């Protein structure tokens, strides 16, 4: 959630920004996704290296629990 202060033109961030990254194979990397999330102000990231078709993704389960 973002709140913009129109008087000063600054933007204040509230709360924790969380993200989820996933790649399908170990040959792929999460680097580009992690960089994009970092640029967006995400401070907590959950990740999986497995097919998105699987139901048992531990990173996604941890995100939902969080």
């Amino acid at each position: 959630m973002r709140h913009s202060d129109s008087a000063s033109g600054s933007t204040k961030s509230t709360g924790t920004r969380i993200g989820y990254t996933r790649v399908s194979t170990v040959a792929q990397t999460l680097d580009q996704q992690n960089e994009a999330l970092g640029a967006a102000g995400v401070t907590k990231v959950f990740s999986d290296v497995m097919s998105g078709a699987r139901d048992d993704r531990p990173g996604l389960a941890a995100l939902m629990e969080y």
Side-chain angles (χ1 to χ4, degrees), residues 5-58:
D5 182 4
S6 59
S8 66
S10 67
T11 301
K12 296 179 184 176
S13 201
T14 59
T16 301
R17 290 185 174 201
I18 59 173
Y20 175 72
T21 59
R22 184 192 58 77
V23 292
S24 297
T25 69
V26 292
Q28 298 171 326
T29 68
L30 298 167
D31 296 342
Q32 189 175 18
Q33 294 175 53
N34 287 331
E35 288 174 16
L37 290 176
V42 172
T43 56
K44 184 150 185 81
V45 178
F46 298 86
S47 301
D48 283 315
V49 178
M50 60 180 39
S51 171
R54 292 184 56 170
D55 290 339
D56 61 336
R57 291 181 272 165

